[in-house]
Amino acid sequence: MKYYITILFITTLSFTSLAQGKPDNSINPDKPKLVVGVVVDQMRYDYLTRFWNKYENDGFKRLIAEGFNFKNNHFNYIPTYTAPGHASVFTGTTPQNHGIISNSWYNKFEQQYIYCVTDVNVQPLGTLASAGKMSPHRMLTTTIADENRLFTQMRGKTIGIALKDRGAILPAGHTANAAYWFHGQEEGKWISSTFYMEEMPKWVQDFNISGAALSYMKPWDALKDLDSYLESGIDENLFETGYSGKKTATFPYDLEKLEKENGNYDLLKVTPYGNSLTTDFAIAAIKGEALGKDEFTDFLTVSFSSTDYIGHNFGVNSKEIEDAYLRLDLDIARLLANLDEEVGNGNYAFFLTADHGGGDVPTYLTSVKIPSGYFDDVEFDTKLKEFIFQKYKKENLIESISNYQVFFNYRNLADAEIDRKSFEQNIAHFILQYPKVSRVFTRNQLESGNYTEGISGLIQNGFNQKRSGDVVFVLDPAVISYTTTTGSTHGSGFSYDTHAPLIFFGKGIKQGSTAIRSEIVDIAPTISVLLGIAFPNAATGTPLIQVLEK
């Protein structure tokens, strides 16, 4: 009986298609020729709403007017740093599975601190500097771009671009045709590594000798009347770092005069011109790689890193951060216009999100009577080791304290005949009593429990059994560990760090918005459904079906 019903259903569909004059030649007719995944580094959701009245019509406003806006999108793990953020967006899972637990972390097997994308087995391209010795080899899972490459038998291209190496490498995945990042200092070049290719394409070489980076060594002044920037604090205040060689962190900034004291071309990263240069290079990549020109879907991943550098330097409430987003709005409009021209309006899909948010400067919050503060890592390390020695009369029982995690020295614990579980409970109890610490979790709790909500759920999602520490602790809200009392940072599981924009736009995407909660790991499965391809191999997110037209 089921057999006949199935035949009747298929036959009915066929006659319906013919009757409408639209034979269905593809199970996935809405598949775009190109997917562009944009990550804006350190973009809080409220940057969309706070600066809305000053945005032009062809950037953020176009994305929201024609696309689908998720107003309640969050990261679902801790820590909210750049590398885990980019990895989670494109793998559809959390550090628990993809293994990128921070930007850098203590590797207990190698007994050293490692950077997320460093790879001693590859050689730099475009430079002789070690900045080119990078690859995604420490990421344990596939990205959505990897799955597209596998699905198309490597015919669909993937290109990753960002000022930051980790922002270019991790989204593009293991099978990318190329990832490019910016090497500043005295060179000012886009570089890569032999992980991807043996030599740079001509279009990259041409771009590097074009003088594009040099052209941005010019004054940075407010794009609009500075007095109209009422959405930000006053220009001169006590909460910003600024640049070496300039007494005040106030507009304007003469980059040509400041460059030598601020890392030469690295200075561009800490200005909106770094995002403009990224846009220039992305546009060159679209043309140079002929992206979206055939029947096989291509991927372009772009991360705008300068907003993070500016936020760290000037804080989330600064005139500089407002100006950076007004200029980014123009860069996004420029990128969309180029995609319309090169790929065709309606032929590409586009999404925009962030890798984390950012919190207000604690000294500013204190000035307006909001509880906040700073956590002294050095003092904490000293006090914890003093406690351990007083209790156990042994030294070197701790290998590392980093990323709010304590790593035990298992060999020394065994030699001293100290029970690990008892040791971790004592360490956890000490840390919980420590000022400005909110919560503490032990390895035993995280391995044996199943936390699905709240801070405990975020900690577990960010906890990788092999790579993470033995005790994990969380600071109070608005308390940060930072080298200065100026500028903003991020990393927590509180809403100012987890609430990030998410906008889908383009082919196969509905117009609309929702305040229903979504999570960052839902992005990759949604794109998988749009393309009709496999989910990334460790994906834990859920497709956001309300955004898809069919």
Side-chain angles (χ1 to χ4, degrees):
M1 188 63 165
K2 292 180 181 178
Y3 174 76
Y4 294 112
I5 291 172
T6 302
I7 290 178
L8 177 62
F9 179 67
I10 293 173
T11 304
T12 302
L13 281 179
S14 300
F15 279 123
T16 301
S17 298
L18 289 171
Q20 294 174 343
K22 296 179 181 178
D24 186 7
N25 295 322
S26 170
I27 196 171
N28 191 25
D30 289 324
K31 183 169 64 175
K33 291 179 175 293
L34 173 66
V35 175
V36 181
V38 171
V39 176
V40 182
D41 208 322
Q42 202 186 120
M43 185 174 183
R44 294 160 54 108
Y45 177 81
D46 69 345
Y47 288 157
L48 283 176
T49 56
R50 196 197 309 178
F51 308 139
W52 182 259
N53 290 335
K54 288 193 171 58
Y55 289 140
E56 302 297 334
N57 292 324
D58 297 326
F60 290 122
K61 285 186 175 180
R62 179 186 174 190
L63 292 177
I64 289 177
E66 300 177 27
F68 201 102
N69 181 23
F70 288 86
K71 301 178 181 180
N72 190 21
N73 182 62
H74 289 266
F75 286 85
N76 64 333
Y77 62 85
I78 296 173
T80 44
Y81 292 144
T82 297
H86 284 79
S88 297
V89 168
F90 288 88
T91 64
T93 192
T94 66
Q96 183 182 64
N97 296 310
H98 62 60
I100 304 298
I101 62 172
S102 187
N103 294 335
S104 301
W105 63 87
Y106 180 74
N107 187 315
K108 50 194 160 190
F109 302 102
E110 299 178 21
Q111 294 186 315
Q112 63 177 337
Y113 212 61
I114 59 170
Y115 180 58
C116 58
V117 292
T118 298
D119 189 345
V120 297
N121 296 313
V122 301
Q123 297 302 314
L125 281 181
T127 181
L128 297 177
S130 60
K133 295 174 72 67
M134 305 288 169
S135 85
H137 73 109
R138 287 194 171 93
M139 185 167 61
L140 303 175
T141 64
T142 62
T143 66
I144 182 63
D146 283 324
E147 294 299 334
N148 184 65
R149 291 274 284 162
L150 293 171
F151 183 84
T152 62
Q153 300 301 313
M154 303 297 168
R155 295 184 181 95
K157 287 185 177 181
T158 297
I159 305 293
I161 294 169
L163 295 179
K164 294 182 181 180
D165 46 27
R166 55 189 182 271
I169 291 168
L170 297 173
H174 303 276
T175 61
N177 299 81
Y180 300 104
W181 52 99
F182 185 69
H183 180 50
Q185 300 179 18
E186 290 80 24
E187 297 187 46
K189 294 179 180 179
W190 291 91
I191 65 172
S192 190
S193 80
T194 55
F195 179 85
Y196 302 100
M197 66 198 102
E198 293 305 315
E199 62 179 359
M200 286 286 208
K202 186 178 185 301
W203 71 264
V204 179
Q205 297 178 43
D206 290 344
F207 189 94
N208 280 335
I209 63 174
S210 70
L214 181 61
S215 72
Y216 286 113
M217 281 299 181
K218 59 185 181 179
W220 171 27
D221 204 350
L223 182 66
K224 302 184 179 183
D225 181 4
L226 194 62
D227 291 335
S228 73
Y229 287 15
L230 302 178
E231 300 80 9
S232 309
I234 60 174
D235 193 24
E236 185 170 357
N237 58 69
L238 301 175
F239 317 120
E240 303 173 359
T241 303
Y243 304 119
S244 297
K246 193 174 190 301
K247 291 183 179 180
T248 60
T250 54
F251 283 109
Y253 300 98
D254 190 333
L255 303 191
E256 190 174 8
K257 290 182 179 179
L258 294 170
E259 63 175 305
K260 289 186 179 179
E261 293 188 59
N262 294 274
N264 295 300
Y265 282 108
D266 280 335
L267 176 59
L268 290 180
K269 300 176 183 179
V270 200
T271 77
Y273 299 143
N275 286 339
S276 297
L277 182 64
T278 302
T279 306
D280 295 343
F281 191 71
I283 288 172
I286 293 167
K287 186 175 182 65
E289 296 290 343
L291 298 180
K293 294 295 187 181
D294 59 28
E295 67 271 31
F296 302 105
T297 300
D298 297 323
F299 253 87
L300 173 65
T301 73
V302 181
S303 180
F304 289 108
S305 307
S306 288
T307 43
D308 183 72
Y309 288 114
I310 295 167
H312 280 294
N313 192 336
F314 296 97
V316 303
N317 196 46
S318 63
K319 300 285 190 192
E320 288 80 2
I321 205 72
E322 178 167 357
D323 194 71
Y325 276 91
L326 298 186
R327 291 176 181 273
L328 177 61
D329 180 54
L330 300 180
D331 284 323
I332 289 172
R334 193 156 56 94
L335 178 59
L336 291 174
N338 181 262
L339 289 166
D340 290 343
E341 181 179 348
E342 292 292 328
V343 184
N345 188 3
N347 288 330
Y348 63 91
F350 186 106
F351 69 83
L352 181 145
T353 187
D355 56 347
H356 51 73
D360 276 291
V361 181
T363 49
Y364 167 68
L365 292 178
T366 300
S367 75
V368 293
K369 302 179 182 179
I370 294 176
S372 60
Y374 292 88
F375 185 81
D376 190 326
D377 286 326
V378 176
E379 182 180 9
F380 172 76
D381 290 7
T382 301
K383 296 289 187 184
L384 177 58
K385 290 173 181 176
E386 286 176 354
F387 163 76
I388 293 170
F389 184 77
Q390 289 173 3
K391 185 168 185 65
Y392 293 99
K393 301 298 186 269
K394 297 285 184 181
E395 293 183 333
N396 300 320
L397 298 179
I398 300 295
E399 280 193 4
S400 175
I401 304 172
S402 56
N403 293 316
Y404 310 116
Q405 299 181 33
V406 181
F407 292 79
F408 297 169
N409 187 317
Y410 289 167
R411 177 175 294 179
N412 289 351
L413 285 175
D415 290 344
E417 298 182 342
I418 297 173
D419 177 69
R420 181 183 65 82
K421 290 184 180 179
S422 174
F423 185 70
E424 75 176 18
Q425 288 172 355
N426 287 328
I427 298 298
H429 181 74
F430 171 83
I431 296 175
L432 188 58
Q433 312 311 308
Y434 201 83
K436 299 176 182 174
V437 171
S438 172
R439 296 171 180 82
V440 182
F441 300 87
T442 65
R443 173 173 287 275
N444 184 56
Q445 287 176 306
L446 294 170
E447 289 181 342
S448 60
N450 183 25
Y451 304 105
T452 58
E453 298 179 347
I455 293 293
S456 55
L458 302 185
I459 287 288
Q460 191 164 62
N461 285 339
F463 183 83
N464 183 278
Q465 279 190 306
K466 292 187 71 171
R467 294 182 175 181
S468 296
D470 299 288
V471 176
V472 183
F473 59 98
V474 177
L475 302 183
D476 287 336
V479 172
I480 64 174
S481 172
Y482 210 41
T483 54
T484 70
T485 57
T486 54
S488 295
T489 194
H490 49 85
S492 79
F494 297 110
S495 61
Y496 49 83
D497 283 338
T498 67
H499 191 191
L502 175 56
I503 309 168
F504 289 91
F505 169 91
K507 190 172 182 61
I509 303 299
K510 287 182 181 177
Q511 192 283 326
S513 66
T514 183
I516 297 173
R517 181 183 173 94
S518 60
E519 294 182 336
I520 213 73
V521 295
D522 299 334
I523 298 172
T526 304
I527 297 298
S528 289
V529 173
L530 177 67
L531 298 182
I533 65 175
F535 289 13
N537 62 10
T540 53
T542 302
L544 301 168
I545 58 174
Q546 63 267 52
V547 77
L548 302 175
E549 285 185 345
K550 295 182 180 180

